[in-house]
Amino acid sequence: MLVLVIGGSGSGKSETAENIAVGFGGKRTYIAAMEPFGEEAKARIERHRAARCGKGFETVERYTDVEGLNISGTALLECLSNLLANEMFSAGGAGEKAVDAVLGGIEHLKRTCDNLVIVTNEIFSGDTKYLGDTKKYMKNLGYINCRIAERADAVYEVTCGIAERIK
Amino acid sequence: MIFIVGGAFSGKRDYARNHLGTADLAEGTESFDRLCEADAVCDFQLFAEKCVKNGIDALAETERLIEKNPSVIIIADEIGCGVVPVEKSDRELRELCGRLNCMLAERADKVVRVVCGIGRVIK
């Protein structure tokens, strides 16, 4: 089962995704793609960690190269926006091949896991006058979202903590 | 007229191609005559921007377009959900695009909202 969860910042998409993953039962792995840069990121990671506590996830931190992971059971990947940014802009990332690296990693997880839940971010409905790297990043994330949604068994859009199944 | 709305890069054009059989997609920045004969007009927010730049009433011009091309598919980015822009002209354009989208949705026989390439008919 492949499930994609999309929502804006603070929309409750993580909780939705966690609950979906818990519903699958069995061994659960949380793949954390956010690098703990600075206090803000650390605080956010702690908040997510506390929210997940007791839900039975083993946490694996992985900022790039998801294809190199060896995971089975149910995996929750959070989130595509961080993973793509790392692949595009981090020193250890895939750079120009970021889109292939992300999609390849997801294909790999889909093969090795029984269930894969992926969280992504709605960043596309604000100003479109972004230039350069930001625009490229938006275009890449939009493309990846569409490709995963095509393959997904279920897609949820989360607004104000309310998840609507759109596929 | 069919109106397709959604965030940037959300798969709106592919939706028009794959689900509505649209072959001839024009850009909102192309000439008015071209838009009058196209199956679909994309990036409609750029049509609005062009109108503003040329001192043309975008709402009236849109009315005129729908009149001349009543079966057109209009595709627009939702640009109203971010932070209020710093520049006054950007704020005005953003507001105008929102109003235009409302008008288009009201006029349309069908409105489709696209997220991750998935279209949902909301009218």
Side-chain angles (χ1 to χ4, degrees):
Chain A
M1 193 72 174
L2 175 63
V3 181
L4 180 67
V5 179
I6 185 165
S9 175
S11 62
K13 58 190 182 302
S14 303
E15 198 186 340
T16 297
E18 285 160 18
N19 293 342
I20 291 168
V22 168
F24 286 130
K27 183 185 157 219
R28 289 187 282 281
T29 307
Y30 180 91
I31 306 164
M34 186 184 217
E35 284 193 73
F37 284 135
E39 288 309 312
E40 196 181 330
K42 278 180 193 152
R44 180 172 288 269
I45 287 165
E46 269 318 305
R47 192 167 52 72
H48 278 253
R49 227 179 243 282
R52 276 201 312 281
C53 189
K55 289 185 180 176
F57 286 97
E58 184 198 330
T59 300
V60 172
E61 287 174 37
R62 191 77 173 190
Y63 312 132
T64 57
D65 187 29
V66 165
E67 203 161 353
L69 286 171
N70 186 13
I71 292 174
S72 58
T74 293
L76 167 52
L77 171 62
E78 175 139 26
C79 62
L80 283 186
S81 47
N82 276 308
L83 181 62
L84 176 66
N86 296 339
E87 292 287 13
M88 283 179 74
F89 307 121
S90 282
E96 286 299 314
K97 294 187 173 142
V99 170
D100 291 341
V102 172
L103 288 176
I106 286 158
E107 275 305 312
H108 167 74
L109 288 177
K110 201 175 175 309
R111 273 195 303 272
T112 61
C113 301
D114 299 322
N115 302 294
L116 175 59
V117 183
I118 300 170
V119 177
T120 191
N121 233 298
E122 170 55 61
I123 59 160
F124 308 98
S125 300
D127 198 349
T128 52
K129 286 183 173 171
Y130 294 108
L131 297 169
D133 281 347
T134 306
K135 189 164 186 183
K136 198 168 165 191
Y137 171 75
M138 288 173 74
K139 189 176 179 179
N140 285 347
L141 188 59
Y143 177 82
I144 290 168
N145 285 348
C146 289
R147 294 295 80 75
I148 297 173
E150 265 170 14
R151 301 216 47 197
D153 300 294
V155 179
Y156 291 87
E157 186 185 19
V158 185
T159 314
C160 308
I162 298 161
E164 287 176 279
R165 186 168 180 175
I166 63 173
K167 180 181 177 183
Chain B
M1 190 261 288
I2 297 175
F3 180 44
I4 302 177
V5 66
F9 311 114
S10 61
K12 300 184 291 299
R13 290 172 193 236
D14 277 347
Y15 183 87
R17 285 190 196 100
N18 301 334
H19 295 271
L20 304 173
T22 315
D24 178 30
L25 287 84
E27 302 299 320
T29 47
E30 291 186 58
S31 75
F32 189 80
D33 288 345
R34 165 83 180 102
L35 304 188
C36 288
E37 54 167 41
D39 285 350
V41 178
C42 304
D43 272 335
F44 203 71
Q45 70 285 353
L46 298 181
F47 172 87
E49 189 173 13
K50 190 180 166 188
C51 287
V52 170
K53 266 187 190 150
N54 295 329
I56 296 167
D57 180 345
L59 287 155
E61 195 73 343
T62 302
E63 292 274 11
R64 205 157 74 85
L65 173 63
I66 300 169
E67 207 171 285
K68 301 232 178 196
N69 190 353
S71 62
V72 68
I73 296 166
I74 295 182
I75 303 176
D77 280 358
E78 171 57 75
I79 62 166
C81 296
V83 177
V84 177
V86 176
E87 294 293 328
K88 184 166 181 274
S89 59
D90 289 340
R91 286 198 296 276
E92 285 171 353
L93 181 64
R94 191 172 86 139
E95 171 80 17
L96 173 65
C97 288
R99 300 282 167 219
L100 262 177
N101 288 355
C102 292
M103 186 264 250
L104 288 165
E106 201 180 314
R107 289 303 173 86
D109 303 303
K110 182 171 165 178
V111 180
V112 183
R113 179 167 172 253
V114 180
V115 175
C116 297
I118 298 162
R120 275 178 297 165
V121 177
I122 59 173
K123 177 187 168 181

